[in-house]
Amino acid sequence: MRDYVEIGVGREARRTYSLSDISIVPSRRTRSSSDVDTTWHIDAYTFGIPVMSHPTDALASPDFVIEMDKQGGLGVINAEGLWGRQADLDAAVARVVEAVTSDDNIDGASAQAIALLQELHAAPIDEDLLADRIAEVRASGATVAVRVSPQRARELAPMVIKAGAEILVIQGTMISAEHVATGGEPLNLKEFIGSLEVPVIAGGVADYTTAMHLMRTGAAGIIVGGGTNTNEFALGIEVPMATAIADVSAARREYLDETGGRYVHIIADGEIETSGDVAKAIACGADAVMLGTTLAPAAEAAGKGSFWPAVAGHPRFPRGLVEAPQDFFFEGVEAPSLEKILHGPSTEAFGNQNIVGGLRRAMAKCGYTDLKSFQKVGLAVKR
Amino acid sequence: MRDYVEIGVGREARRTYSLSDISIVPSRRTRSSSDVDTTWHIDAYTFGIPVMSHPTDALASPDFVIEMDKQGGLGVINAEGLWGRQADLDAAVARVVEAVTSDDNIDGASAQAIALLQELHAAPIDEDLLADRIAEVRASGATVAVRVSPQRARELAPMVIKAGAEILVIQGTMISAEHVATGGEPLNLKEFIGSLEVPVIAGGVADYTTAMHLMRTGAAGIIVGGGTNTNEFALGIEVPMATAIADVSAARREYLDETGGRYVHIIADGEIETSGDVAKAIACGADAVMLGTTLAPAAEAAGKGSFWPAVAGHPRFPRGLVEAPQDFFFEGVEAPSLEKILHGPSTEAFGNQNIVGGLRRAMAKCGYTDLKSFQKVGLAVKR
Amino acid sequence: MRDYVEIGVGREARRTYSLSDISIVPSRRTRSSSDVDTTWHIDAYTFGIPVMSHPTDALASPDFVIEMDKQGGLGVINAEGLWGRQADLDAAVARVVEAVTSDDNIDGASAQAIALLQELHAAPIDEDLLADRIAEVRASGATVAVRVSPQRARELAPMVIKAGAEILVIQGTMISAEHVATGGEPLNLKEFIGSLEVPVIAGGVADYTTAMHLMRTGAAGIIVGGGTNTNEFALGIEVPMATAIADVSAARREYLDETGGRYVHIIADGEIETSGDVAKAIACGADAVMLGTTLAPAAEAAGKGSFWPAVAGHPRFPRGLVEAPQDFFFEGVEAPSLEKILHGPSTEAFGNQNIVGGLRRAMAKCGYTDLKSFQKVGLAVKR
Amino acid sequence: MRDYVEIGVGREARRTYSLSDISIVPSRRTRSSSDVDTTWHIDAYTFGIPVMSHPTDALASPDFVIEMDKQGGLGVINAEGLWGRQADLDAAVARVVEAVTSDDNIDGASAQAIALLQELHAAPIDEDLLADRIAEVRASGATVAVRVSPQRARELAPMVIKAGAEILVIQGTMISAEHVATGGEPLNLKEFIGSLEVPVIAGGVADYTTAMHLMRTGAAGIIVGGGTNTNEFALGIEVPMATAIADVSAARREYLDETGGRYVHIIADGEIETSGDVAKAIACGADAVMLGTTLAPAAEAAGKGSFWPAVAGHPRFPRGLVEAPQDFFFEGVEAPSLEKILHGPSTEAFGNQNIVGGLRRAMAKCGYTDLKSFQKVGLAVKR
């Protein structure tokens, strides 16, 4: 069934596909985009749009998380980022932005900015500070999701939940249901998740088997993707998102059958920049997407247009671009609001704004009115 | 029969091809290009060359439409563009050109120009103004084709036909024979086309099924293509033209058999820039092509070298590049006439001028003397 | 047997390969490059290296043709170029070079230079002038090959042969054994070649069938290729050289069998720039190559580093880049001699110099010592 | 079994893959990277990391070789480079660096630098000088590996071994077990290696058959790769590393069976720049890698950031880029230490630093703790 090639004598490799390799094929009666329903239900929560934000301090200021909620999505706070480490959060983020914008490295990857991120992340987590900030967002009425790493989940999760986190995101670049380590106590996710009172979204994963194991831990949602697009260079590991989403969707079907009806949500986190990418991710089987760079230009984003993934601050082996702002801020052009990026109207032709409007139009032109059925739309690969 | 790949467990995608993926393979006795006949007959009309212009205000000034007729092709007026919205049409187009040429956005997509297009299109359509302008072109003796959207076809078609439109073009980025909407009255194209006295060319479509349904509406011609090359980014939908044209040609054969002889014409609108692209589109099965950017440099074109597709002025979700003029106007070089672009002689080596001469030569070198038989020429894909 | 894909419903295209898609695979005992024999025998002529020059005035000054002979190859004069049209040949070529070097068109295709080429080619051919110049080269003792087009072969061939042409090259971008035209008398190549006393090399062709027909005309050699790399844009016709050479080689085998031993030589003219490309062309089945841009930097070349193919001067539909010189002449660096380009030694690492040395090394590393057996070396395609 | 395509009638080519075509697929329980063992045992030697340096004077100063040993790897001295030819080695290398950095050739290949390399290599090898320098490194306690060419192996090997070389590297761009030459005495590697008292690592090879023959010579290790990335342009020969490593690994298995247990090591030398590439090479079956450009920025490297492969100094047919330093030295930024490049910590996100840390992480995320078992990790190809 799978499509394998022999790359050398006796050595096979599976053929995989990225979102940019595929496109959506309309073949039914067209519909009105105003008839499209983009509601996303996960556990007891309902969101108007199937959009989470990547857990990075480049996005998540308190204002940003609150505004995400207002716009129908879910903003995610990184418990191991700067919120709990830097008393003056704005100033800390501003220093990173300053570092990246003053670096003329043509590759776009700022060693200075990464070094500064590492320095800022070397500060210990002040749990009270972090709890206060989470509670502040919670107090606004916004749904609060907080991300912890598998390594520190046991330590930090109780605190962030107590502070107000309604959804726990356990996210590393690549995780498994049972991490093996010599000495030390590994995190058994099944036991851990079973002990929590809030729904857990866990990942990232990239393959059927790991996803199946992760589903069996009781997670409400699975993140598909590697968290950064430099993993290929750094680790030789790449997650071609079209294949990964489709594989994990197959695991979801299998697990649904195995459990007699437990539906685990799939959140795609990778290769998604435009409204067309969002549509493709859902067409491959995702229930929702996690957006990063797409949301960075928003006026409410902490980084003022700069972006870096959570793993860019890793102390010894950072990954991911630290990107300078697009020209919005250089050119005196006003930054678009998060509302404009998500819901338009747009003056931009490449699907970087009015993301949800683009998704609605894609679904409508293909004749679908809800996200779940759109997962079955026809696909094409180029050549 | 179709070539499918499994992109992930249990999820298939069809392999599709763009015009740039293919090339024409000569394998018969060569002929003289002077023996080639490029005549295109559709309904009661005969054109010397199988070329329509894309319905954009960047091309269609009254002079341009009249000159298209003189050169053997068919110029198309956009009834929902600026002709009926702006009393001073030249000044309105000039403002857009000014906006795009003064924008130094390196991506070539001008947010300023798009915002201005949106503003100019926000003005209501003055039906008298539009009718006068259509009538003016008609009075010249030129064949007049006018484009309306499916949404406003019922409202505008009677007026534009009365004003002189001999061919009605019903064109949206992606349309279907029956649009479904909750509330409101959808356009049933079959009934609508049956009620008109002029032939209709409708599209765009991208697949066999939708094309078959559209043929059954009674349309004289079907437009293949999505109207803009940014649909992939905005919607995740892309129309690989070689596959789309071949698929719709197959639907034409089927429909021809089903009706015992009704031949529906296929007009390709996408990926076509050079004379080589025109030849490829016909080789894939098209009867004619709709040219956009190719015609933009013409001295007679309204945009003086600038180009934008019709959908670039969409109020909430614009698509398509607004392109600044090539260097003709910057460098003090004289703009080529439409005649030179279509019929040469040319001093340009990449098939951007003498489009029809290139088509003739391609056919002659492959041993074909008419468009219909050239649809069977041998094809190759690269790798 | 052939590898076909279905690009759309019911429409197939053959999968084809360029030289850049393939590479040579060594798998035998290595040899010394000094043991390699690059001799090329065609008809009664023996050349030390399997190299012809493309018939363009950008290369063929009298000095260049004489030097090609000294270096073991075969320089080709274009009878329909400037030799017979311009009394002051050097000045005419210098004007073209001046036109292209003073044009700052970033695409590298100079409309000014093409317009000038068209103007210079509009002058009539002075047969005495052409004959004198051919005779001058012949008087040096160099083997003289002259190219005529199929259209003017009957008219010009007797004169150029009388003037001293020992090998006649009948070359158009795409030719066939029998050209069909309404009215006028087509050139029947079989009768025509039978009437000549000198061996004929004819082309270009791109496919098995046309090549087979051309072999049956009695030609001593067949040119594979389309003469320029802009045919794809201009005509939609592209000649993927690896496939074309292999196909024509198969026709050679078939024709050899059919005739009980008549061996027709294959000369590859396209996609060949470096010594690696020469090796690949021969590995695909070519007996020799026709070099163009590769030889342009030679001090002896007429164009002083500029290059254009013969078809760039076409009066109505020019094709091919007119290329400005590489930096040799701008930077005050001395132009390499033709000897250096063909035989080295080189200070250049990308196979642009010491072309024959590179071919020798490629053959030696693969364990082959003559060109004919090297046509069987193992090949790989990338991916 | 092999995957062949027909590139033309009756002519086949094998489909091959580069490291950039593939990626590693995690599908097991994750592990801690601190549990990963990167030890490499070859013959009687044990290295902490599976890394050799490419035998170029751009890397190997005495300090560099000593530091490589300290960091767990193996530095390789080129016996036919400048160590034995230039009394003032530092000055000679500095001249090359000066030549390449002062050359504004945009292609990055410096003809001036190559000409200077050729001049510097034209000096005869002073065996005493070379022996003294080798002995100096040996005296430091570092393991010394010295490279000779197959052509001069018989002449130079005894001397370099006497001077202290513990491992002999016999390396040319493409070698075979038995080189055939008319006249002169070819090097029979089997006899030659049998006569030596030190282990030999030999290559480069690219295919199963040549590798098998080379294994039968008694070599302890086989180098896979062509030594430079310009071979494709110069020779038409390319070594797609994923396929080549896998093929040679298959030969290793076969030879292991044939000999009842003799394990020959595979060292990959080509396409490897980042930590991800290292992981991929091992995943394809390599036991170790030979790094070139990756190590060039090290403060200890002779070339101060410049790089050229050994074959760039070839007297008649040089190959390989002579690369100017990255911006470390231009921008006043401190050059990273070899330790930082190999072991981090890094402030760089693309796997150019902390190479071994990246390898460890890749293995750990895939659930492997030793190099040998990691050769079986799952692979994917893109599309």
Side-chain angles (χ1 to χ4, degrees):
Chain A
M1 286 207 311
R2 300 302 86 76
D3 187 7
Y4 281 89
V5 299
E6 193 191 47
I7 61 161
V9 177
R11 187 69 161 112
E12 294 195 330
R14 181 175 171 213
R15 212 180 273 283
T16 57
Y17 298 84
S18 296
L19 292 182
S20 62
D21 294 327
I22 66 163
S23 61
I24 293 167
V25 179
S27 63
R28 316 206 310 181
R29 289 185 299 177
T30 51
R31 296 220 167 223
S32 170
S33 64
S34 59
D35 287 346
V36 169
D37 178 6
T38 61
T39 306
W40 176 41
H41 304 280
I42 177 169
D43 202 85
Y45 296 88
T46 296
F47 299 96
I49 61 176
V51 177
M52 297 174 69
S53 66
H54 185 85
T56 169
D57 294 314
L59 295 178
S61 66
D63 282 356
F64 178 89
V65 177
I66 293 166
E67 186 65 20
M68 274 294 285
D69 184 82
K70 277 192 197 148
Q71 298 301 329
L74 176 61
V76 184
I77 297 160
N78 182 10
E80 297 170 34
L82 305 178
W83 282 42
R85 300 186 198 267
Q86 299 292 332
D88 190 341
L89 181 57
D90 289 349
V93 171
R95 283 181 61 199
V96 180
V97 174
E98 168 65 20
V100 68
T101 52
S102 65
D103 192 345
D104 54 3
N105 185 306
I106 54 166
D107 288 340
S110 170
Q112 290 159 230
I114 286 182
L116 178 57
L117 276 175
Q118 290 173 325
E119 179 195 322
L120 294 168
H121 282 78
I125 295 176
D126 176 339
E127 299 202 0
D128 292 338
L129 178 63
L130 178 59
D132 285 352
R133 285 179 166 162
I134 292 172
E136 175 196 335
V137 176
R138 182 82 176 90
S140 77
T143 300
V144 172
V146 180
R147 174 258 171 184
V148 295
S149 69
Q151 287 78 16
R152 305 190 68 174
R154 210 174 342 228
E155 166 197 354
L156 294 171
M159 183 272 290
V160 302
I161 291 168
K162 191 177 165 198
E166 293 161 284
I167 297 175
L168 187 70
V169 178
I170 304 179
Q171 187 174 11
T173 54
M174 287 279 151
I175 77 168
S176 66
E178 199 170 349
H179 183 81
V180 184
T182 309
E185 195 183 352
L187 181 69
N188 181 315
L189 272 180
K190 187 169 183 178
E191 290 176 20
F192 181 68
I193 290 174
S195 73
L196 299 175
E197 311 249 319
V198 300
V200 170
I201 293 174
V205 298
D207 75 301
Y208 181 99
T209 309
T210 311
M212 181 62 87
H213 292 166
L214 216 50
M215 287 175 184
R216 290 179 183 145
T217 64
I222 304 290
I223 298 164
V224 177
T228 163
N229 52 11
T230 70
N231 271 340
E232 184 190 2
F233 306 102
L235 300 176
I237 298 172
E238 203 184 355
V239 181
M241 289 296 290
T243 296
I245 296 170
D247 281 2
V248 177
S249 299
R252 179 181 59 200
R253 282 193 299 276
E254 177 67 22
Y255 181 69
L256 194 66
D257 183 68
E258 175 180 311
T259 57
R262 194 170 169 269
Y263 188 90
V264 181
H265 288 260
I266 296 174
I267 298 99
D269 179 23
E271 299 182 8
I272 303 175
E273 296 189 354
T274 69
S275 47
D277 297 333
V278 173
K280 289 179 184 180
I282 291 170
C284 287
D287 298 286
V289 297
M290 191 173 254
L291 295 182
T293 50
T294 312
L295 304 180
E300 295 89 348
K304 305 291 175 202
S306 285
F307 184 80
W308 58 91
V311 75
H314 191 284
R316 293 187 62 85
F317 199 68
R319 272 148 288 160
L321 286 165
V322 180
E323 295 175 71
Q326 304 284 325
D327 47 321
F328 295 112
F329 299 88
F330 291 126
E331 305 284 333
V333 179
E334 202 180 345
S337 65
L338 186 58
E339 179 179 10
K340 186 174 187 181
I341 290 177
L342 289 171
H343 296 291
S346 165
T347 57
E348 196 274 336
F350 284 89
N352 293 307
Q353 293 184 3
N354 198 355
I355 299 296
V356 179
L359 172 62
R360 285 176 175 280
R361 254 169 199 80
M363 292 169 68
K365 287 187 186 299
C366 295
Y368 292 89
T369 53
D370 67 287
L371 296 169
K372 186 63 202 167
S373 59
F374 188 57
Q375 293 173 351
K376 290 180 187 154
V377 69
L379 295 178
V381 297
K382 295 167 197 171
R383 304 209 58 193
Chain B
M1 286 204 313
R2 301 302 86 78
D3 187 8
Y4 282 89
V5 299
E6 192 190 48
I7 62 162
V9 176
R11 188 68 161 112
E12 294 195 329
R14 182 175 169 211
R15 213 180 273 282
T16 57
Y17 299 85
S18 296
L19 292 182
S20 61
D21 293 328
I22 66 163
S23 60
I24 294 167
V25 179
S27 64
R28 316 206 310 180
R29 289 184 300 177
T30 52
R31 296 218 165 224
S32 170
S33 64
S34 59
D35 288 345
V36 169
D37 178 6
T38 61
T39 305
W40 176 42
H41 303 281
I42 177 169
D43 201 87
Y45 296 87
T46 295
F47 299 96
I49 62 176
V51 177
M52 296 174 70
S53 67
H54 185 86
T56 169
D57 294 315
L59 295 178
S61 67
D63 282 357
F64 178 88
V65 177
I66 293 167
E67 186 64 21
M68 275 294 284
D69 184 81
K70 278 192 195 149
Q71 297 302 327
L74 177 60
V76 183
I77 297 160
N78 182 10
E80 298 171 32
L82 306 179
W83 281 43
R85 300 186 199 266
Q86 299 291 332
D88 190 341
L89 182 58
D90 290 349
V93 171
R95 284 181 62 199
V96 180
V97 174
E98 169 64 21
V100 68
T101 52
S102 66
D103 192 346
D104 55 1
N105 184 306
I106 54 165
D107 289 339
S110 171
Q112 291 159 230
I114 286 181
L116 178 56
L117 276 174
Q118 291 174 324
E119 179 195 322
L120 293 169
H121 282 78
I125 296 177
D126 176 338
E127 299 203 0
D128 292 337
L129 178 63
L130 178 57
D132 286 351
R133 283 178 166 162
I134 292 173
E136 175 196 335
V137 176
R138 181 82 176 89
S140 77
T143 300
V144 172
V146 180
R147 174 260 171 183
V148 294
S149 69
Q151 288 78 17
R152 303 191 68 175
R154 213 182 330 236
E155 165 197 354
L156 293 172
M159 183 271 290
V160 301
I161 291 170
K162 189 177 166 199
E166 293 162 287
I167 297 175
L168 187 70
V169 178
I170 303 179
Q171 188 175 9
T173 53
M174 287 279 151
I175 76 167
S176 66
E178 201 170 347
H179 184 80
V180 184
T182 308
E185 194 183 351
L187 180 69
N188 181 316
L189 272 181
K190 188 169 183 178
E191 289 175 21
F192 181 67
I193 291 176
S195 73
L196 298 175
E197 310 248 320
V198 301
V200 169
I201 293 174
V205 298
D207 74 302
Y208 181 98
T209 308
T210 311
M212 181 63 85
H213 292 165
L214 215 50
M215 287 175 185
R216 289 179 184 146
T217 64
I222 303 291
I223 299 164
V224 177
T228 165
N229 53 10
T230 69
N231 271 340
E232 184 189 1
F233 306 103
L235 301 177
I237 298 173
E238 202 184 354
V239 181
M241 288 298 290
T243 296
I245 296 171
D247 281 3
V248 177
S249 300
R252 181 181 57 199
R253 282 193 300 278
E254 178 67 21
Y255 181 69
L256 194 66
D257 183 68
E258 175 180 312
T259 57
R262 194 166 171 270
Y263 188 89
V264 181
H265 289 259
I266 296 173
I267 297 100
D269 178 24
E271 298 182 10
I272 303 175
E273 296 190 353
T274 69
S275 47
D277 296 334
V278 173
K280 288 179 184 180
I282 291 171
C284 287
D287 298 286
V289 297
M290 191 173 253
L291 296 182
T293 51
T294 313
L295 305 179
E300 294 89 348
K304 305 290 174 203
S306 285
F307 185 80
W308 57 91
V311 74
H314 191 284
R316 293 187 62 86
F317 200 66
R319 272 147 288 159
L321 285 166
V322 180
E323 296 175 72
Q326 305 284 325
D327 46 323
F328 295 110
F329 298 89
F330 291 126
E331 305 283 334
V333 178
E334 204 179 344
S337 65
L338 187 58
E339 178 178 9
K340 186 175 187 180
I341 290 178
L342 288 171
H343 296 291
S346 165
T347 56
E348 196 274 339
F350 283 90
N352 293 307
Q353 294 184 3
N354 198 354
I355 298 297
V356 179
L359 172 62
R360 286 177 173 281
R361 254 169 200 75
M363 292 169 67
K365 285 187 188 300
C366 295
Y368 292 89
T369 54
D370 67 287
L371 296 168
K372 187 64 204 168
S373 59
F374 188 57
Q375 292 173 351
K376 290 180 188 154
V377 70
L379 294 178
V381 297
K382 297 167 196 171
R383 306 208 57 194
Chain C
M1 287 205 312
R2 300 303 85 77
D3 188 8
Y4 282 89
V5 298
E6 191 190 51
I7 61 162
V9 176
R11 188 68 163 112
E12 294 196 327
R14 182 173 168 214
R15 213 180 272 283
T16 58
Y17 298 85
S18 297
L19 292 182
S20 62
D21 293 326
I22 66 163
S23 61
I24 294 167
V25 178
S27 63
R28 316 206 311 180
R29 288 184 302 178
T30 52
R31 297 222 165 220
S32 171
S33 63
S34 58
D35 289 346
V36 169
D37 179 6
T38 61
T39 306
W40 176 42
H41 304 280
I42 178 169
D43 200 86
Y45 296 87
T46 296
F47 300 96
I49 62 176
V51 176
M52 297 173 70
S53 66
H54 184 86
T56 169
D57 295 313
L59 296 177
S61 67
D63 282 358
F64 178 88
V65 176
I66 292 167
E67 187 64 20
M68 275 294 284
D69 183 81
K70 278 194 195 146
Q71 297 302 328
L74 176 61
V76 183
I77 297 160
N78 182 10
E80 298 171 32
L82 305 178
W83 282 43
R85 300 185 200 266
Q86 300 292 333
D88 190 341
L89 182 57
D90 290 350
V93 171
R95 284 180 62 199
V96 180
V97 175
E98 168 64 20
V100 67
T101 52
S102 65
D103 192 345
D104 54 1
N105 185 305
I106 53 166
D107 289 339
S110 169
Q112 290 159 230
I114 286 181
L116 178 57
L117 276 174
Q118 289 174 326
E119 177 196 323
L120 294 169
H121 282 78
I125 297 177
D126 176 340
E127 298 203 359
D128 292 338
L129 177 63
L130 178 58
D132 285 353
R133 283 178 167 161
I134 291 172
E136 176 196 334
V137 176
R138 181 82 177 88
S140 77
T143 300
V144 172
V146 180
R147 174 260 171 183
V148 294
S149 68
Q151 287 78 16
R152 303 192 67 176
R154 212 180 332 234
E155 167 198 351
L156 293 172
M159 183 272 291
V160 302
I161 291 169
K162 191 177 165 198
E166 294 163 285
I167 296 175
L168 187 71
V169 178
I170 303 178
Q171 188 175 10
T173 52
M174 286 279 152
I175 76 167
S176 66
E178 200 170 345
H179 183 81
V180 183
T182 308
E185 197 183 349
L187 181 70
N188 180 314
L189 272 180
K190 188 168 183 179
E191 290 175 21
F192 181 68
I193 290 175
S195 73
L196 299 175
E197 309 248 321
V198 301
V200 170
I201 293 173
V205 298
D207 74 303
Y208 182 96
T209 308
T210 311
M212 181 61 87
H213 291 165
L214 216 50
M215 287 176 184
R216 289 180 184 145
T217 64
I222 304 290
I223 299 164
V224 177
T228 165
N229 52 11
T230 69
N231 271 340
E232 184 190 1
F233 307 103
L235 301 177
I237 298 172
E238 201 184 355
V239 182
M241 288 298 290
T243 296
I245 296 170
D247 280 3
V248 177
S249 300
R252 180 180 60 200
R253 282 195 299 277
E254 178 67 21
Y255 181 69
L256 194 66
D257 184 67
E258 174 181 311
T259 57
R262 193 166 171 270
Y263 188 90
V264 182
H265 289 259
I266 295 173
I267 297 99
D269 178 24
E271 298 183 8
I272 304 175
E273 295 189 354
T274 69
S275 47
D277 296 333
V278 173
K280 288 179 184 180
I282 291 171
C284 287
D287 299 285
V289 297
M290 191 172 253
L291 296 182
T293 50
T294 313
L295 305 179
E300 295 89 347
K304 306 289 174 206
S306 285
F307 184 80
W308 57 91
V311 75
H314 191 286
R316 293 187 63 85
F317 200 68
R319 273 147 289 159
L321 286 165
V322 180
E323 295 175 72
Q326 306 283 325
D327 48 323
F328 294 111
F329 298 89
F330 292 126
E331 305 283 334
V333 178
E334 203 180 345
S337 65
L338 187 57
E339 179 178 8
K340 186 173 187 182
I341 290 177
L342 288 171
H343 297 290
S346 164
T347 56
E348 196 274 337
F350 283 89
N352 293 309
Q353 294 185 3
N354 199 355
I355 299 295
V356 179
L359 172 62
R360 286 176 174 283
R361 254 169 200 78
M363 292 169 67
K365 286 189 186 301
C366 295
Y368 293 89
T369 55
D370 67 287
L371 296 170
K372 186 64 204 167
S373 58
F374 187 57
Q375 293 172 351
K376 291 180 188 154
V377 70
L379 294 178
V381 297
K382 296 167 197 170
R383 304 210 55 195
Chain D
M1 286 204 313
R2 299 304 84 78
D3 187 8
Y4 282 88
V5 298
E6 192 190 49
I7 61 161
V9 177
R11 188 69 163 111
E12 293 196 330
R14 182 176 169 212
R15 214 180 272 282
T16 57
Y17 299 84
S18 297
L19 292 181
S20 61
D21 293 326
I22 66 163
S23 61
I24 294 167
V25 179
S27 63
R28 315 206 312 180
R29 288 184 301 178
T30 52
R31 295 221 167 222
S32 170
S33 64
S34 59
D35 288 346
V36 169
D37 178 6
T38 61
T39 307
W40 177 42
H41 304 281
I42 177 169
D43 200 87
Y45 297 87
T46 294
F47 299 96
I49 62 176
V51 177
M52 298 173 68
S53 66
H54 185 86
T56 169
D57 295 314
L59 295 178
S61 67
D63 282 358
F64 178 88
V65 177
I66 293 166
E67 186 65 20
M68 274 295 284
D69 184 81
K70 276 192 198 150
Q71 297 302 328
L74 176 61
V76 184
I77 297 160
N78 182 10
E80 299 170 33
L82 305 178
W83 280 43
R85 301 186 198 265
Q86 299 292 333
D88 190 340
L89 182 58
D90 291 349
V93 172
R95 283 181 61 200
V96 180
V97 174
E98 168 64 20
V100 67
T101 52
S102 65
D103 192 345
D104 54 2
N105 184 307
I106 54 165
D107 288 340
S110 170
Q112 290 158 230
I114 286 181
L116 178 57
L117 276 173
Q118 290 174 325
E119 179 196 321
L120 293 168
H121 282 79
I125 296 176
D126 176 339
E127 298 204 0
D128 291 339
L129 178 63
L130 178 58
D132 285 353
R133 285 177 167 163
I134 292 172
E136 176 196 335
V137 177
R138 181 82 176 90
S140 77
T143 300
V144 172
V146 180
R147 175 261 171 183
V148 294
S149 69
Q151 288 77 16
R152 303 192 68 174
R154 212 178 336 232
E155 167 197 352
L156 294 171
M159 183 272 290
V160 303
I161 291 169
K162 191 177 165 200
E166 293 162 285
I167 296 175
L168 187 70
V169 178
I170 303 179
Q171 189 175 9
T173 52
M174 287 278 151
I175 77 167
S176 67
E178 199 169 346
H179 183 80
V180 183
T182 308
E185 195 182 351
L187 181 69
N188 180 316
L189 271 180
K190 186 169 184 178
E191 289 175 21
F192 181 69
I193 290 175
S195 74
L196 299 174
E197 311 248 320
V198 301
V200 169
I201 293 173
V205 298
D207 75 301
Y208 182 97
T209 309
T210 311
M212 180 63 87
H213 292 165
L214 215 51
M215 287 176 184
R216 290 179 183 144
T217 65
I222 304 289
I223 299 164
V224 176
T228 164
N229 53 10
T230 71
N231 271 341
E232 184 191 1
F233 306 103
L235 301 177
I237 298 172
E238 202 184 353
V239 182
M241 289 297 289
T243 297
I245 297 170
D247 281 2
V248 177
S249 299
R252 180 180 60 199
R253 283 194 299 276
E254 177 67 22
Y255 181 69
L256 194 67
D257 184 68
E258 174 181 312
T259 57
R262 193 167 170 271
Y263 188 90
V264 182
H265 289 259
I266 295 174
I267 298 99
D269 179 23
E271 298 182 8
I272 304 174
E273 296 190 353
T274 68
S275 48
D277 297 333
V278 173
K280 289 180 185 181
I282 291 170
C284 287
D287 299 286
V289 297
M290 190 172 256
L291 296 182
T293 50
T294 313
L295 304 178
E300 295 88 348
K304 305 289 176 206
S306 285
F307 184 80
W308 57 91
V311 75
H314 191 286
R316 293 188 61 86
F317 200 68
R319 272 148 288 160
L321 286 165
V322 181
E323 295 175 72
Q326 304 283 325
D327 48 321
F328 294 112
F329 298 89
F330 291 126
E331 306 284 333
V333 178
E334 203 179 344
S337 64
L338 187 58
E339 179 179 9
K340 186 174 187 181
I341 290 177
L342 288 171
H343 295 291
S346 163
T347 57
E348 196 275 338
F350 284 89
N352 294 307
Q353 293 185 4
N354 199 355
I355 299 295
V356 179
L359 172 63
R360 285 176 174 282
R361 253 169 201 78
M363 292 169 66
K365 286 188 187 299
C366 295
Y368 293 90
T369 54
D370 68 286
L371 296 170
K372 187 64 203 167
S373 58
F374 188 57
Q375 293 172 351
K376 291 180 188 154
V377 70
L379 294 178
V381 296
K382 296 167 196 170
R383 303 210 57 192

